[in-house]
Amino acid sequence: MKITIKSPREIEIMREGGKILNSVLESIAKEAQVGVSTMELDQKAEQLILAAGAFPSFKGYEGFPAVLCTSLNEEVVHGIPSKRVLQSGDLLSLDCGVFYQGLHTDKALTLVVGESNPLKDRLMQVTRKSLELAASELKDGVKLGQVSHAIQRHVEQAGFGVVRDLVGHGIGKELHEDPPVPNFGGAGNGPILKAGMTIAIEPMVTVGNYNVIIDGWKIVTADNSLSAHFENTFLITKDGCEVLT
Ligand code: MG
Ligand code: MG
């Protein structure tokens, strides 16, 4: 495993790229209203990224055909934008990557279109909180397993499932770098994190069982239960972390 340490210059670029990505996703989240198709969201995201002087990281990545991943309801991640029009109650995960001056950043969030319900609200809240808890573990010298373990503990205490088959990742010149960042596992596992490493942490949480069915880009929960996904790109620092997205 080769985990890259970013230079101050690279970190500055990722900070800028992360700002672009954050503002793009914020705009797209506002556009995600009843009656809008996920393809329209994708086109809008592409316009915004290009206008900011950046490029979409996902388009063409291993053949992925779009700028955004739009994953609805029982879809976990990697949903391909389509003519499917958003309906009230849809649980929508928006995942996007930005390539700016040679470096990637990656972020995802989940929202409910139109009217939500208590279960969907709780699923999103638990997933978001598990990402916050993971971030609070990040620091130079900490084992990656502590981060993974913090996510799993919170999610399972809430009675939800944490997906095993898909994980977070290091990020930088490549969209997916070492190390893999699982959302489960023992606190003593994994490599030691060092200041200057950049990783994308992305818990994928299910209302039911954590098993998923993977069929090409299509990834759904095996029991058809709802799934939420939040992700940020982090810089590990001496005393903690910095959220780059
Ligand atoms: Mg992502
Ligand atoms: Mg990612």
Side-chain angles (χ1 to χ4, degrees), residues 62-140:
E62 291 182 5
F64 191 77
V67 170
L68 290 176
C69 298
T70 53
S71 308
L72 285 159
N73 304 314
E74 74 285 355
E75 295 170 356
V76 180
V77 285
H78 302 169
I80 296 175
S82 72
K83 288 181 179 158
R84 156 82 146 83
V85 164
L86 296 172
Q87 293 166 18
S88 184
D90 273 340
L91 184 71
L92 172 66
S93 153
L94 296 168
D95 191 350
C96 190
V98 150
F99 185 63
Y100 180 69
Q101 295 189 12
L103 291 147
H104 296 274
T105 47
D106 193 0
K107 181 183 177 80
L109 54 84
T110 299
L111 55 84
V112 173
V113 178
E115 209 168 316
S116 189
N117 69 23
L119 178 63
K120 290 170 191 169
D121 286 345
R122 195 161 152 271
L123 175 64
M124 291 188 292
Q125 190 212 327
V126 166
T127 312
R128 202 186 302 114
K129 179 74 180 172
S130 74
L131 180 57
E132 283 169 23
L133 289 169
S136 72
E137 296 287 334
L138 291 174
K139 185 172 138 173
D140 182 88

Side-chain angles (χ1 to χ4, degrees), residues 191-245:
I192 291 169
L193 299 176
K194 299 268 186 241
M197 290 178 177
T198 46
I199 60 173
I201 306 178
E202 48 180 317
M204 289 150 261
V205 175
T206 62
V207 163
N209 188 278
Y210 61 73
N211 286 317
V212 297
I213 297 169
I214 302 178
D215 177 14
W217 291 115
K218 196 171 170 62
I219 303 178
V220 296
T221 52
D223 60 6
N224 264 315
S225 68
L226 295 169
S227 172
H229 175 217
F230 283 86
E231 174 179 28
N232 272 317
T233 298
F234 297 93
L235 167 70
I236 318 295
T237 63
K238 197 98 201 83
D239 306 310
C241 72
E242 180 184 332
V243 186
L244 296 175
T245 47

